[in-house]
Structure formats: C-alpha cells, structure tokens
Amino acid sequence: MNAKKEAQTIQGTKQEFLKIFREMCYARNAWQVWEDLISAIACSLANSTDPDKTNVQYKEREREYAQCIKRLGGVDKPAKCFAIMVEALERDPEQDFLGELYMELNLRNHWKGQFFTPYHICDFMAKITEGNIDGEIEKKGFISIFDPACGAGATLIAAANNAKKAKHNFQNHILFVGQDIDRIVGMMCYIQLSLLGCAGYICIGKDKSSGICLCSEWRYGRYDGCFIVSNQ
C-alpha cells in the first residue's frame, strides 16, 4: 500500500528528482552518482528487452548494473529517480528532462565543449529541417533522422514530437540515430528516446562502429539516406 501511495504522488518534477539525487550524494560527488545512475538505468532498459540472455553484451550490462547499484547504496533511490523520469516524459514529452538536469547540476564537460541546446531551439531546428517526410515514407516505408552530436537527445526528441504533430507515426516509420563522444550523455539520449518509444540506436565515439540500440542490443549502424538534424 505504501509503495502504491508513493507511486501515485510522483509528479515528474525536477525538484523531486533532485531531492532524491542529492540524498545519494552524501558520500560521493554529483558526477560519480550521476554516472552510476544513468549507467544503471541504461543497462536495465537494454537488458529488459534483450531476447538473448546468454550473449556477452547482456552479461556485461548485468555486471555493470550490479556494480553501479552497489555504489549507489541499493536499488530504492535509483528506482525512484527512474519513476520520476518516466512520469516527467509521460506528462510532458516536449522537454529534455535529463539534459536540463545535467546542466543545472553543472555536470557538463568543458573539455568536450558540452553545452546542451535549449529544447525550444531544438524544436525550431526540427521544424525547419523536416524535409519531405511524406514522400520518403511513401517511397521507402521509413525515414532516418541523425544527430551527429546528440547530447541528451533534445533535437531528436523535438523531431519525434514534430512528426507526431504532423500525424506521422514516428514509432513505426522513423529511425532515430544519435552519436556522441561522451558515453554518459549518449546513454541519457538512449534512456529518453527509449521512454518515448523511438526506434533507433545511439553510437558512442567518433566513428560509427558501435552503438546502443533502442531496441536494446549493441550493433553496427549505417546512416544512408538520413535527414541530418544538428546544432553544429
């Protein structure tokens, strides 16, 4: 009953998230806690729908998840943070929930030139670079949208929301591809797009050789025929 009552009181606000997040920072700095939290959630999402429980990647994610949860002091607080993320994007999908928290906590990497573009700017860019979606879907059955510096995914989220407003079924007809040199922000993008039901994958690094797939496996990616949406 207590768990049910608590679930009903979650509002999906940044204040709720930050309160629980800071409780996990009593003996560690914010970056260490954030890294473990995001990694644990990404690994959990990926493994929850991986059909092959015997592959090497599945076992590696299980091991990483267990290590992160141990450092976080148990599963309860990370689970609450995840529940808040889910509620936040359910109530308002037109936002970069994790990206805004990342910037608010001053976690950005100055050496990598990280500055996340505000969501309203991403929304404007998505509108002006939309292209002939109807024609491409009619011809190929789907389109791909690629952001080569995806960060936490604000631009791809905006593209998904604009497609939805235009009556396109983005969950069935759009492949979302993101790439970033930072593993943690790439995972943030993966988490948010997964929760929004977007199909696609996120590549971590400067090349295209590996990625976190939104249908939850590690795989190679190609970007042929993509609509390029970027803030660079």
Side-chain angles (χ1 to χ4, degrees):
M1 287 295 291
N2 288 339
K4 185 176 180 181
K5 183 178 179 181
E6 185 174 321
Q8 290 174 340
T9 62
I10 291 175
Q11 302 296 310
T13 66
K14 294 183 179 68
Q15 290 77 12
E16 287 175 299
F17 184 97
L18 290 171
K19 180 180 181 296
I20 297 168
F21 178 81
R22 285 170 176 144
E23 289 173 1
M24 293 188 285
C25 296
Y26 67 94
R28 305 171 71 212
N29 66 47
W31 170 253
Q32 291 172 322
V33 173
W34 184 269
E35 182 178 29
D36 280 340
L37 178 64
I38 295 301
S39 298
I41 292 172
C43 288
S44 179
L45 281 173
N47 276 6
S48 66
T49 54
D50 192 333
D52 184 359
K53 311 300 183 187
T54 63
N55 67 54
V56 174
Q57 292 86 354
Y58 181 92
K59 293 177 181 178
E60 287 177 351
R61 289 192 296 258
E62 280 288 284
R63 184 163 47 250
E64 182 175 0
Y65 171 83
Q67 292 170 347
C68 290
I69 290 298
K70 183 178 180 180
R71 289 192 294 265
L72 290 167
V75 74
D76 289 349
K77 286 184 170 62
K80 288 178 184 176
C81 286
F82 179 62
I84 293 167
M85 291 180 204
V86 173
E87 186 67 22
L89 291 171
E90 179 70 24
R91 293 190 179 213
D92 180 16
E94 296 199 41
Q95 62 170 322
D96 179 11
F97 186 76
L98 291 179
E100 290 175 9
L101 283 168
Y102 187 81
M103 297 300 288
E104 186 171 334
L105 288 164
N106 199 28
L107 297 174
R108 68 190 180 100
N109 189 320
H110 298 274
W111 298 107
K112 292 179 181 177
Q114 284 181 342
F115 182 84
F116 292 171
T117 307
Y119 183 81
H120 69 280
I121 302 295
C122 295
D123 182 56
F124 173 73
M125 291 192 298
K127 284 184 173 71
I128 63 175
T129 57
E130 189 176 74
N132 182 20
I133 291 181
D134 291 308
E136 288 295 314
I137 292 176
E138 181 69 24
K139 182 169 65 176
K140 299 195 306 182
F142 77 99
I143 63 166
S144 299
I145 298 178
F146 172 44
D147 185 351
C150 65
T155 303
L156 294 173
I157 293 169
N161 284 318
N162 275 285
K164 184 178 180 180
K165 290 174 186 174
K167 308 301 182 184
H168 299 298
N169 188 336
F170 70 87
Q171 294 175 326
N172 289 342
H173 297 296
I174 301 179
L175 182 74
F176 295 88
V177 182
Q179 184 170 359
D180 205 282
I181 60 174
D182 189 305
R183 183 173 187 259
I184 297 304
V185 301
M187 284 182 169
M188 288 157 57
C189 182
Y190 168 73
I191 290 167
Q192 296 197 117
L193 292 181
S194 294
L195 293 179
L196 292 170
C198 298
Y201 49 90
I202 309 300
C203 291
I204 308 299
K206 294 181 180 179
D207 58 35
K208 306 171 185 176
S209 61
S210 64
I212 309 172
C213 184
L214 297 186
C215 56
S216 302
E217 63 183 298
W218 297 84
R219 54 166 279 182
Y220 293 92
R222 290 183 62 83
Y223 310 112
D224 299 342
C226 289
F227 285 87
I228 307 297
V229 184
S230 176
N231 56 18
Q232 287 194 335

